């Protein structure tokens, strides 16, 4: 007896969306368990919280392990598989999209914070934190120059583990303290992959392989195979995501001092940032996507729900990158576009971070009752855009770059401590928007590049077809 069609459709739907539903359930279950534990028991020690987050930490470590080999192999194979003119067209479209969305995010954030004015009348308990003190000991010129230094790495192996950073330190032997601009400085290496350097190296290597044609085919095959192997490993790892994400969120909620008190003290600031992220993600980006594709993005966003849930849970766009590529491959996006646009986007496109930093800087200025001119707002816009490009795709990387933006307004870097209480939560929301923007940008660039990609495919097939015709003609003779 044949099964009803409705039953088969339901089974297909469950097979296609089971992982997505499990991940979303993991997010809500983690949050619910975290609230219940926090409200029903006493204070938890750091070690007890570490035990709770352990499964999530293992999941995050597995994802981060894939970043470097996947990033290098994906970009190199994607660029190497295209000719120079085609890769430059895709790169131009992607960078133009990222630039427009980042500027739009900053402008939207500034419009919201200047109209809502959340800093007026806010009562915030100021805290001193070691991480804030460390972040405050940087200068904006040094940060910008370090960004460029990291792009042009002097050791590609070292770039897989460390980033270059200029450290400044005060000479305590002097009778009078000097301003920070006159402090001594030294080069240092900060732990964490130098993603910008790896991206730059991969783009140059891929371009070189593409120009070498037949001679570079062996290298091209190697990087293509490596990329496919990394995606296979990713397909295994993603089945742990519901469990890992749930434990990460539960541990973070238990760790908070008082959720209600935090939201109450920073309520209007929290609402302003959240409103900005929502309007940008489902308004600005949707309009840009529609203008480019003549289609609304919400159907695609629904298909990205598992990726977005993972981005929220991990708070890292880089860690989510393997899942994003896997999901877009399943949606039929050209792998050459996906493997170039997503790694670059995870590195330089931080719309949520740019919006957040612009809002945060002007919020603190309002809280300190400091007046600011239109020129200051323009300066904040430019600095927030530059800072978002330099922010690493890891949780709470915006802390250091936030110092740059505050310095532009003329505020004390230690004022970052005013908003640090809700930074972890907002960080997850802005990471989700960053990842969504990258994914929609990839779909948009793929749509705009379809004809060019088909032309490249035809050119690549022509020699093979001519050879077959010649062989057939010879047989007939």
């Amino acid at each position: 007896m044949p099964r009803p069609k409705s039953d088969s459709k339901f089974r297909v739907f469950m097979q296609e969306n089971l992982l997505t539903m499990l991940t979303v359930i993991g997010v809500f279950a983690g949050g619910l368990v975290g609230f219940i534990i926090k409200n029903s028991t006493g204070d938890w020690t750091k070690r007890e919280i570490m035990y709770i987050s352990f499964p999530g930490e293992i999941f995050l470590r597995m994802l981060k392990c894939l970043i470097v080999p996947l990033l290098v192999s994906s970009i190199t194979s994607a660029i190497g598989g295209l000719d120079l003119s085609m890769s430059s067209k895709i790169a131009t479209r992607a960078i133009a999209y990222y630039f427009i969305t980042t500027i739009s995010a900053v402008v939207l954030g500034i419009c919201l914070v200047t109209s809502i004015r959340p800093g007026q009348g806010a009562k915030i308990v100021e805290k001193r934190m070691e991480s804030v003190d460390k972040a405050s000991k940087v200068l904006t010129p040094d940060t910008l120059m370090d960004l460029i230094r990291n792009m042009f790495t002097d050791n590609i192996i070292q770039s897989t583990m460390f980033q270059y950073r200029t450290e400044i330190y005060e000479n305590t032997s002097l009778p009078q303290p000097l301003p920070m601009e006159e402090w001594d400085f030294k080069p240092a290496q900060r732990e964490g992959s130098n993603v910008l350097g790896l991206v730059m190296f991969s783009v140059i290597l891929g371009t070189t392989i593409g120009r070498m044609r037949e001679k570079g085919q062996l290298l091209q095959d190697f990087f293509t195979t490596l990329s496919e192997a990394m995606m296979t490993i990713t397909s295994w790892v993603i089945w742990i995501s519901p469990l890992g994400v749930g434990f990460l969120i539960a541990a973070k909620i238990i760790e908070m001092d008082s959720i209600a008190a935090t939201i109450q003290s920073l309520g209007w600031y929290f609402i302003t940032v959240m409103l900005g992220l929502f309007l940008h993600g489902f308004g600005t980006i949707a309009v840009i996507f529609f203008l480019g594709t003549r289609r609304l993005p919400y159907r695609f966003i629904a298909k990205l729900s598992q990726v977005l849930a993972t981005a929220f849970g991990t708070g890292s766009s880089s860690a989510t990158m393997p899942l994003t590529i896997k999901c877009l491959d399943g949606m039929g996006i050209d792998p050459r576009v996906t493997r170039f646009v997503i790694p670059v986007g995870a590195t330089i496109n931080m719309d949520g971070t740019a919006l957040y930093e612009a809002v945060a800087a002007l919020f603190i200025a309002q809280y300190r009752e400091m007046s600011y001119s239109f020129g200051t707002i323009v300066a904040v816009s430019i600095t927030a855009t530059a800072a978002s490009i330099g922010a690493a795709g890891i949780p709470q990387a915006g802390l250091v770059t936030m110092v740059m933006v505050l310095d532009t307004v003329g505020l004390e870097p230690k004022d970052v401590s005013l908003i640090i209480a809700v930074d972890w939560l907002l960080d997850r929301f802005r990471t989700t928007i960053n990842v969504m923007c990258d994914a929609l940008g990839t779909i948009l660039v793929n749509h705009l590049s379809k004809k060019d990609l088909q032309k490249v495919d035809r050119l690549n097939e022509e020699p093979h077809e001519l050879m077959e015709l010649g062989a057939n003609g010879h047989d007939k003779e």
Side-chain angles (χ1 to χ4, degrees):
M1 184 176 177
R3 290 177 181 173
K5 287 185 178 180
S6 58
D7 182 52
S8 60
K9 284 182 179 180
F10 176 76
R11 179 168 295 186
V12 171
F13 174 81
M14 288 299 294
Q15 287 176 346
E16 291 178 350
N17 298 280
L18 178 62
L19 183 60
T20 301
M21 290 188 289
L22 289 175
T23 307
V24 173
I25 290 170
V27 171
F28 286 105
L32 182 63
V33 169
F35 277 113
I36 292 172
I37 292 175
K38 186 169 183 63
N39 294 326
S40 60
T41 60
D43 293 335
W44 285 54
T45 64
K46 286 185 177 181
R47 175 164 289 276
E48 289 171 334
I49 294 171
M50 183 264 287
Y51 292 150
I52 293 288
S53 64
F54 181 72
E57 182 190 348
I58 297 301
F59 168 65
L60 201 54
R61 290 172 70 90
M62 292 170 71
L63 281 180
K64 287 182 177 180
C65 178
L66 298 172
I67 292 172
V68 171
L70 179 61
L71 184 144
V72 174
S73 61
S74 295
I75 295 180
T76 305
S77 61
I79 298 289
L82 300 167
D83 57 30
L84 189 60
S85 61
M86 186 65 248
S87 58
S88 63
K89 283 180 183 177
I90 292 175
T92 301
R93 287 165 183 155
I95 291 169
Y97 168 80
Y98 291 149
F99 180 77
I100 291 169
T101 55
T102 304
I103 292 294
S104 302
V106 172
V107 171
L108 175 62
I110 288 174
C111 290
L112 288 174
V113 75
T114 51
S115 56
I116 298 174
R117 302 191 69 82
Q120 289 186 343
K123 295 180 181 179
I124 308 169
V125 178
E126 299 186 25
K127 296 182 178 181
R128 290 183 60 83
M129 297 180 65
E130 186 182 352
S131 58
V132 175
D133 290 337
K134 286 181 180 178
S136 65
K137 293 183 174 62
V138 295
L139 294 173
T140 301
D142 288 342
T143 306
L144 292 174
M145 286 190 291
D146 287 347
L147 178 66
I148 298 171
R149 288 189 185 104
N150 281 316
M151 288 176 65
F152 300 95
T153 178
D154 60 347
N155 189 328
I156 190 64
I157 304 300
Q158 190 180 53
S159 293
T160 61
M161 296 175 283
F162 298 100
Q163 302 174 27
Y164 182 93
R165 183 185 180 187
T166 301
E167 285 187 354
I168 60 174
Y169 56 96
E170 188 176 9
N171 189 344
T172 55
S173 62
L174 297 175
Q176 290 184 339
L178 295 172
M180 284 181 63
E181 288 77 7
E182 298 181 28
W183 285 14
D184 292 330
F185 61 90
K186 63 179 180 181
Q189 297 293 334
R190 182 175 59 191
E191 190 174 346
S193 300
N194 174 13
V195 180
L196 279 175
L198 293 173
V199 167
M200 182 65 72
F201 176 81
S202 302
V203 168
I204 294 170
L205 180 60
T207 304
T208 305
I209 292 172
R211 291 178 69 89
M212 291 173 69
R213 298 186 183 278
E214 290 80 8
K215 289 182 180 179
Q217 190 60 43
L218 188 62
L219 267 178
Q220 175 66 15
D221 292 342
F222 167 76
F223 283 110
T224 301
T225 306
L226 179 61
S227 176
E228 290 174 359
M230 291 300 105
M231 292 313 301
T232 301
I233 297 173
T234 299
S235 66
W236 299 341
V237 173
I238 58 175
W239 284 100
I240 313 172
S241 58
L243 192 68
V245 166
F247 277 100
L248 283 172
I249 292 176
K252 204 66 189 179
I253 289 175
I254 295 169
E255 190 180 357
M256 283 193 71
D257 293 333
S258 173
I259 299 171
T262 300
I263 298 297
Q264 186 178 0
S265 63
L266 291 166
W268 281 109
Y269 165 71
F270 186 86
I271 290 170
T272 304
V273 176
M274 287 298 297
L275 180 63
L277 293 174
F278 180 83
L279 291 176
H280 180 68
F282 296 93
T284 309
I285 296 177
V287 170
I288 294 170
F289 186 89
F290 179 78
L291 292 175
T293 63
R294 301 301 179 195
R295 300 171 73 181
L296 291 173
Y298 304 114
R299 183 170 61 88
F300 298 104
I301 293 173
K303 291 182 178 180
L304 290 165
S305 53
Q306 192 243 332
V307 173
L308 300 181
T310 306
F312 181 84
T314 60
S316 171
S317 53
S318 293
T320 313
M321 184 178 69
L323 306 186
T324 311
I325 294 175
K326 185 74 178 173
C327 181
L328 290 173
D329 284 350
M331 291 164 63
I333 306 303
D334 194 300
R336 291 168 294 184
V337 177
T338 305
R339 280 154 178 72
F340 174 68
V341 178
I342 288 295
V344 172
T347 308
I348 67 170
N349 182 47
M350 301 287 174
D351 290 2
T353 305
L355 185 148
Y356 152 80
E357 291 186 345
V359 171
L362 296 181
F363 165 78
I364 294 172
Q366 292 168 2
Y367 177 74
R368 294 296 186 196
E369 297 182 350
M370 172 188 166
S371 59
Y372 46 86
S373 61
F374 178 76
T376 304
I377 293 176
V378 173
V380 167
S381 304
I382 296 170
T383 313
T385 303
S388 68
I389 294 171
I394 56 175
Q396 294 183 311
L399 184 63
V400 174
T401 53
M402 187 69 230
V403 174
M404 287 174 53
V405 186
L406 292 180
D407 185 52
T408 303
V409 188
L411 290 164
E412 286 291 327
K414 292 179 181 178
D415 280 345
V416 173
S417 61
L418 297 173
I419 57 172
I420 203 73
V422 292
D423 183 69
W424 76 269
L425 185 56
L426 290 175
D427 179 50
R428 276 160 167 72
F429 283 108
R430 62 181 186 255
T431 298
T432 306
I433 294 298
N434 291 341
V435 170
M436 188 177 81
C437 181
D438 293 345
L440 292 178
T442 306
I443 298 169
L444 174 60
V445 171
N446 181 76
H447 176 82
L448 297 176
S449 306
K450 264 186 179 178
K451 290 182 180 178
D452 296 319
L453 290 166
Q454 289 169 358
K455 185 178 178 182
V456 170
D457 291 337
R458 283 197 300 269
L459 290 172
N460 289 336
E461 288 171 4
E462 278 177 9
H464 177 67
E465 289 171 357
L466 288 171
M467 209 163 70
E468 282 186 348
L469 286 170
N472 291 336
H474 181 72
D475 291 341
K476 285 178 182 178
E477 289 176 0

